Amino acid sequence: ENREAMLNSRSNRLTEALEEANALFDGVCRAREAALDAQFLVLASNIGKEKANELHSEMSAFDSTAFAEDLLTFMGINRTEETDDSEDGPDGFLPGDAWKRMGEEALKYFKRAPVFHYMLGSFKSEPPVPKQRIERQKKASRGKAEQAMPAQLKKMEESHQEATEKEVERILRILQTHFENDPNTPISFFDFVIDPNSFARTVENMFHVSFLIRDGLARIKLDEDELPVIEPTKPSGAGEEDSRAGARNQVIIRMDQREWK
């Protein structure tokens, strides 16, 4: 209702209303009252914006007519000599050095030339030649190689595993045959695994015999001379097998070529 009075530059009604609202806000305790205060601040802000736009200041306002008059006066215009247009130069009634004087004065306020910026870079960039087809071919060939390698390794692993199982079964049959022929004579472990003509074959025999010990198909014990002997185990029930498996111990046997010889 008092909008016009508050917009008057000589009126302090807006300031008084803000001070009154600031004092009343200390007693706000309900949401409705806080909403009314926020609504008042919006109205006060709009009125303050309109009041500020109506203010004119020499620092912010620019009068083009006054600027042109001052510029002409600085450039040396003499309005008393405007009577005869035929004698004027190409610049009318301005002196011949008017623009030179203007340029020398403006030069004082520009210490350096403005920097020129390229919006899209200093040169025109061209997109690289697409190589999608070549990359797809490389990826496809590499994928085939990666797929072939695991299959090949899997076949090799299966072949080695089958060979190991067959060799372990063969050694078990040999051990059982020796034990059946002479069950009272212990079989020396070293006589059983050592190949006098091949150190590598001796290591393989020890490796395969370890599977027999692990699976409980054979056992190694010490004789009266504290030397290891090997014998096959007798088949038994599941309960005895589990108890015997729990009592088994694993050891590492070291043998180099000097000891083998």
Side-chain angles (χ1 to χ4, degrees):
E1 294 176 357
N2 301 325
R3 186 182 188 88
E4 298 297 332
M6 289 185 177
L7 288 175
N8 189 359
S9 59
R10 298 180 180 180
S11 174
N12 293 328
R13 297 286 301 275
L14 182 60
T15 303
E16 295 173 357
L18 287 172
E19 293 177 352
E20 182 180 359
N22 191 28
L24 292 174
F25 186 73
D26 294 337
V28 171
C29 60
R30 295 182 178 87
R32 177 58 181 168
E33 296 171 352
L36 289 174
D37 180 78
Q39 185 178 1
F40 165 76
L41 287 179
V42 173
L43 295 174
S45 299
N46 293 333
I47 295 174
K49 181 181 178 181
E50 294 181 13
K51 194 171 183 178
N53 291 333
E54 293 180 359
L55 295 177
H56 295 281
S57 173
E58 293 181 358
M59 296 180 62
S60 60
F62 177 76
D63 190 350
S64 59
T65 304
F67 176 75
E69 292 290 339
D70 294 341
L71 183 62
L72 292 173
T73 302
F74 175 79
M75 295 172 71
I77 185 176
N78 188 356
R79 297 185 181 277
T80 59
E81 299 179 358
E82 296 181 26
T83 56
D84 191 0
D85 295 340
S86 61
E87 297 179 357
D88 293 340
D91 295 331
F93 52 84
L94 291 176
D97 61 343
W99 289 108
K100 180 180 179 182
R101 189 186 306 174
M102 177 64 184
E104 291 177 350
E105 181 65 21
L107 185 63
K108 300 177 183 179
Y109 303 97
F110 297 93
K111 300 298 182 182
R112 60 184 177 86
V115 180
F116 185 76
H117 296 281
Y118 293 93
M119 296 181 64
L120 298 177
S122 59
F123 57 90
K124 184 179 180 180
S125 60
E126 297 180 357
V129 180
K131 298 181 180 180
Q132 297 180 356
R133 295 183 179 178
I134 299 177
E135 292 180 356
R136 288 177 182 176
Q137 292 176 359
K138 290 182 179 180
K139 291 181 179 179
S141 60
R142 185 174 57 189
K144 292 181 180 178
E146 292 178 353
Q147 292 177 0
M149 289 180 62
Q152 184 178 3
L153 292 176
K154 186 176 181 180
K155 291 181 180 179
M156 293 177 60
E157 183 179 357
E158 291 177 354
S159 61
H160 286 299
Q161 185 176 0
E162 292 177 358
T164 301
E165 293 177 355
K166 292 180 180 179
E167 188 66 17
V168 171
E169 293 176 358
R170 187 183 69 85
I171 292 177
L172 177 60
R173 289 195 299 267
I174 294 174
L175 179 62
Q176 291 175 346
T177 301
H178 280 286
F179 191 78
E180 290 175 357
N181 294 334
D182 192 0
N184 297 324
T185 302
I187 304 173
S188 173
F189 172 76
F190 293 113
D191 292 342
F192 184 71
V193 298
I194 290 178
D195 186 344
N197 300 321
S198 175
F199 174 72
R201 185 61 179 173
T202 300
V203 175
E204 290 181 359
N205 292 337
M206 297 175 64
F207 172 72
H208 293 139
V209 169
S210 66
F211 286 97
L212 298 178
I213 306 301
R214 184 200 64 179
D215 297 336
L217 300 176
R219 64 178 179 177
I220 297 176
K221 62 181 180 179
L222 300 179
D223 59 4
E224 297 176 355
D225 298 328
E226 297 296 327
L227 294 176
V229 294
I230 185 173
E231 61 181 10
T233 58
K234 298 179 181 180
S236 57
E240 296 179 359
E241 178 69 20
D242 295 340
S243 62
R244 187 171 66 252
R248 287 198 302 267
N249 295 322
Q250 291 181 329
V251 296
I252 297 177
I253 300 177
R254 177 185 178 277
M255 177 179 290
D256 54 17
Q257 290 191 356
R258 184 182 60 83
E259 297 175 342
W260 167 73
K261 291 180 179 179

